[in-house]
Amino acid sequence: MIKIYAYKDITIDEIFAREEEKSTVADVVAEIIADVRKNGDRALKAYCEKFDGAAAEVLEVSQEERTAALAEVDAEFMEILREAADHIRSFHEKQKRTDFVITERPGVVLGQKIIPLDRVGLYVPGGTASYPSTVLMDCIPAKIAGVKEVCMVTPAKGGRLNADIIAAAEVAGVDRIFKIGGAQAVAALAYGTESVPRVDKIVGPGNAFVAEAKKQVFGQVSIDMIAGPSEILVIADGASDAAVVAADLLSQAEHDKMASAVLVTESEALAQAVSKELERQIPLLPRAEIARASIDQNGKIIIVDTIAQAIEVSNEIAPEHLEVCVDDPFKYLADIRHAGSIFLGRNAPEALGDYFAGPNHTLPTSGTARFSSPLGVDDFIKKSSFTYYTQDALAAEAEKIGFFARREGLEAHARSAMVRTDKGVIQ
C-alpha cells in the first residue's frame, strides 16, 4: 500500500527513490565493447546468436524486409502513427535555430552557424519492451535538425523484427536499420564495424547493459542522457477525482518496479481516497506485479498546506513528469522551474506526452531536470562561431589583445596579434 506522509515528516531526498545502484554490469559491458571494436561484424553476429537466438547473415535490414514487416501492421495503427508524427513535427519545428551575423563594428564580421550532426544512432528495444513511440520522438527531431543519416539498431528476437518498430521507423524517416541490440549495438554505433557506420551521437532507451554501454562510449560519441527509472509527480487539489489521480500514478508505476509515483496534495481526504483507489486499480492491470512493487516500495502521498507549497516541493524534486491537476493551472506555470515535462489541468494525463501531444517524451530523470531539458532539435546540431577582421579593424585592437595575453603570461598570443601591425616586429 502507498505510504502517506505529512510534508513536515519527510525530507525531499526521501520522496523519490533515487539511490544510485552499484553497477554489476560494467565489466561485462567493457568486454563486449572491446570485442566489437576488435572483431566487428563477427562479434555482433555471435552476440545476436547468444542473446537473440538467431544471427542474420546480413545485419542491415533490407527494403524487402522492411516492406514485409510493414505488411503486418494494421491500417489503424499506421494512421495513428502518422497523426502522432505530425503532432511531434509541428512542435519540434518551432525549436529550429538559425544562423546569425553581427556587423556592428567597422571592419568586423562575427557570427554563428548551425551545423546538423552528420549521422545519429537510434537504439530501440525490440523485445517485450518495444516502444514505437520512442522511434518517433527520437528520429523526428533529428530529421528536423537536418541530420543526414539516422541509423536505427533494434534486436530481432529469434530472427524476427518487431513490426511496430519498423512501422514507426518508416513514418519517422529512419534511413537504415540494423538487426542488433544490447551493449554490442551501442559499441557498433560508437566505433563502427564492416556493416554498421560510426555515428556522432547515440540516443534512445535500453536496459542496464545498454545504459552502461552508452556511459562507457561517451566521449567517443555524444549521447542523449543516462536515464533513471520513470518518475511522476502529481499535484492535485481536493476537488480532484481520486480514480483519475490513481490512474495517472499507475501510468508510471507499471513501467518498472523502481519507478516512482508521488502525489502531493493539500487534501487529506483526497490522499485517503487515492490510496483506496490504487488498491482497487492495481489488481486490474496486466502489469499488476510491477505496479504493486513500484507503489509499495517507492510510491508516496505527501500532504502539504497549500498548492503553492506543493509547487515548491516539486521544484526541489525536479521530477521527470509533473501533472498539475487544478482548475487554473496557468496560475502556477510561472512558478514551476524544474520539471522535465509539465501537464496542466485535469485533462492532460502524462500519457498524452508519451504518444500524441507533440512535446518530446525523452526526458531528464533523477533530478537532472534542474539543469537539463527534454530531447529536442538542439540535441542534433552543433554550433560554430566565425570571426573576420579587416587589417584596420585588427590594428585598432591589437595592443589591447597583446596587453590581455601578456596579463595571462602568454607572449606568443600577444605577438600573433601584434605582428600584423607596424608595432609588432618580432625580435
Side-chain angles (χ1 to χ4, degrees), residues 51-83:
F51 296 121
D52 300 329
E57 185 62 33
V58 178
L59 294 173
E60 184 165 4
V61 178
S62 67
Q63 186 55 55
E64 290 74 19
E65 288 176 298
R66 291 175 74 153
T67 301
L70 283 170
E72 299 179 30
V73 182
D74 60 272
E76 182 181 9
F77 185 55
M78 286 299 299
E79 184 57 37
I80 291 171
L81 281 173
R82 292 190 184 98
E83 190 172 352

Side-chain angles (χ1 to χ4, degrees), residues 387-399 401-402 406 411-426:
T387 302
Y388 169 83
Y389 271 54
T390 64
Q391 187 175 22
D392 288 344
L394 177 61
E397 297 182 355
E399 288 191 55
I401 296 165
R406 288 170 178 139
E411 179 63 26
H413 280 64
R415 292 183 182 192
S416 73
M418 296 298 293
V419 74
R420 288 175 164 81
T421 74
D422 56 7
K423 297 180 182 180
V425 178
I426 297 176

Side-chain angles (χ1 to χ4, degrees), residues 243-309:
V244 169
V245 173
D248 288 357
L249 293 172
L250 291 172
S251 72
Q252 292 307 291
E254 73 171 351
H255 261 300
D256 185 338
K257 292 180 179 181
M258 287 297 296
S260 295
V262 173
L263 166 63
V264 183
T265 180
E266 93 288 25
S267 168
E268 186 167 352
L270 179 69
Q272 296 296 338
V274 168
S275 178
K276 291 177 182 177
E277 267 298 317
L278 288 169
E279 294 306 302
R280 185 182 72 84
Q281 291 184 30
I282 288 173
L284 306 177
L285 293 173
R287 295 167 67 91
E289 182 184 356
I290 293 171
R292 165 58 66 198
S294 170
I295 291 297
D296 287 356
Q297 296 169 19
N298 306 318
K300 296 176 182 68
I301 299 176
I302 313 299
I303 301 174
V304 294
D305 295 329
T306 63
I307 295 299
Q309 186 180 44

